[in-house]
């Protein structure tokens, strides 16, 4: 099954404080001449007409990479699960593919395989 037959929303998590990066927003750090988010975006954009980014700061920088932006419902950066919950609230499709914003080497074959496996297993 190709991913074109699997309508899904995609959620990119970019809502952390970046404590291990000295407070820098990881998704906006440059790698190979582009922000990390741009690399992930290039791989997932063809998978969905509903690309969501969970970000709690720098929304204007993330806006070009998303159809929708969400933030955590609770203040204080409660963690990635809060970003997933925010994404689930607005996702337009039954399936939600969740990825970190700082995984620039994720590849399409892996994502196609994960989606096909989920469909084959009947997971919803």
């Amino acid at each position: 099954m190709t991913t074109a037959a699997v309508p899904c929303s995609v959620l990119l998590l970019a809502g952390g404080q970046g404590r291990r990066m000295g407070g820098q927003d990881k998704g906006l750090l440059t790698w190979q001449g582009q922000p990390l988010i741009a690399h992930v975006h290039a791989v997932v954009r063809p998978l969905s007409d509903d690309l969501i980014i969970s970000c709690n700061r720098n929304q204007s920088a993330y806006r070009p990479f998303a159809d929708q932006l969400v933030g955590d419902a609770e203040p204080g950066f409660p963690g990635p699960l809060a970003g997933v919950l925010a994404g689930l609230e607005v996702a337009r499709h039954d399936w939600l593919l969740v990825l970190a914003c700082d995984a620039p080497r994720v590849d399409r074959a892996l994502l196609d395989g994960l989606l096909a496996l989920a469909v084959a297993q009947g997971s919803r």
Side-chain angles (χ1 to χ4, degrees), residues 8-15 37 40-41 44-45 47-55 65-72 79-93 95-103 106 111 115:
C8 70
S9 296
V10 174
L11 173 62
L12 302 180
L13 297 175
I37 193 76
V40 180
H41 175 267
V44 300
R45 176 76 276 180
L47 295 174
S48 181
D49 62 353
D50 186 29
L51 202 156
I52 307 159
I53 296 179
S54 170
C55 55
F65 300 102
D67 297 315
Q68 303 184 69
L69 297 176
V70 295
D72 297 343
L81 184 55
V84 172
L85 291 173
L88 283 169
E89 287 288 322
V90 301
R92 295 190 337 237
H93 297 290
W95 296 87
L96 180 65
L97 179 63
V98 181
L99 297 165
C101 68
D102 59 343
V106 67
L111 302 179
L115 288 169

